[in-house]
Amino acid sequence: MSESDSFISEVSDELRRDRLFAFFRRWGPFLIAGLVLLVGASAYLEWRRIGDDRSAAQRGDAMLAAVRTEAPEARAAALAGLATDAGDRGVIPALLEAEALAASEQADAALATLDRVIDDAAVSPVYRDLARLHRLGIRGDAVPIAERIAELDQMVGPDAPFRLVALEARGLARLQSGDIAAAREDLTAVAGDPLATRDLRGRVLEVLRALGTPPEAVPAAAPGSSGEVVPAGPAAP
């Protein structure tokens, strides 16, 4: 290599070093700050995750201890402290609290707890419908038939999570009101649904048989239905 080439190479290396040093002098603090923020954010998220896991475990232990409490009044009081959160986080303790209140003959308090779940827009539809069914069960015969049917009408849509149970209950309510045709329609729909369980299908077939429904008018269990098929049997005379 000639002296001129060697000189040019040395100058080029020196320029590259100068540019690199200038770059780090200008942007180095920002790069270091970015790395610190990235590491700090990762550490904070991990700390939050560990804290959430610990909180969830403690909450689960508290709920299990509350459920194991034999006295309904004490069980309801223990669950009440876990049912204060809005949304789905507090809905399971609230439903269990309502059940314990009903078992301790505090129906009004149980209904108020269920109303809180039903009225909370942050609660998932599946839990709100479950609360509605619990509410109807607690009120029992005190619910006028027309009101019961109107309440069940909200739970029989094609995508409703408790559609079949609500259809069965509405069919029985319609039967109680004397609307035999509508009752038979609801119960027949349950009998032919592939998601109907053996017990559910068996119950509605018993009612259809009592109504004198001809066997040929009762749909066979749809393919994929769960459980053993309960035959409709002969029509009542």
Side-chain angles (χ1 to χ4, degrees):
M1 179 181 297
S2 66
E3 292 183 1
S4 62
D5 291 340
S6 176
F7 175 75
I8 292 174
S9 177
E10 290 178 3
V11 170
S12 298
D13 290 342
E14 190 67 26
L15 286 173
R16 281 194 293 268
R17 283 194 295 270
D18 289 343
R19 289 170 182 169
L20 182 62
F21 291 149
F23 174 83
F24 275 109
R25 281 196 299 270
R26 181 175 183 180
W27 301 108
F30 298 101
L31 292 175
I32 294 173
L35 289 173
V36 170
L37 287 175
L38 180 61
V39 173
S42 299
Y44 173 75
L45 291 175
E46 182 65 16
W47 175 76
R48 282 289 305 272
R49 185 190 66 79
I50 294 173
D52 290 344
D53 289 347
R54 186 182 296 113
S55 176
Q58 293 173 348
R59 184 179 176 83
D61 291 342
M63 190 180 303
L64 183 60
V67 171
R68 287 175 173 173
T69 305
E70 293 186 5
E73 297 89 345
R75 185 164 67 251
L79 289 166
L82 300 171
T84 56
D85 295 331
D88 290 350
R89 181 177 172 83
V91 69
I92 297 300
L95 293 174
L96 294 173
E97 178 193 359
E99 181 181 351
L101 289 169
S104 62
E105 299 183 355
Q106 301 180 64
D108 290 341
L111 293 175
T113 300
L114 293 174
D115 285 340
R116 189 173 71 245
V117 174
I118 295 170
D119 295 337
D120 188 349
V123 173
S124 299
V126 61
Y127 293 128
R128 297 172 74 181
D129 280 0
L130 184 58
R132 288 190 178 98
L133 289 173
H134 272 300
R135 196 178 195 285
L136 288 174
I138 292 174
R139 294 184 66 192
D141 293 337
V143 184
I145 296 177
E147 180 182 339
R148 189 184 314 160
I149 292 174
E151 185 75 18
L152 292 166
D153 284 342
Q154 304 177 50
M155 294 180 277
V156 296
D159 297 324
F162 299 102
R163 174 178 174 271
L164 295 179
V165 175
L167 270 176
E168 179 193 20
R170 191 177 70 174
L172 296 177
R174 285 174 164 176
L175 178 61
Q176 189 177 357
S177 71
D179 192 347
I180 305 300
R184 184 181 283 115
E185 180 182 350
D186 282 346
L187 299 176
T188 301
V190 175
D193 196 290
L195 297 179
T197 63
R198 179 185 61 184
D199 290 342
L200 178 57
R201 179 172 162 80
R203 290 198 303 269
V204 299
L205 288 177
E206 287 291 337
V207 179
L208 288 171
R209 185 162 55 239
L211 291 175
T213 307
E216 61 272 14
V218 178
S225 60
S226 57
E228 177 183 340
V229 174
V230 179

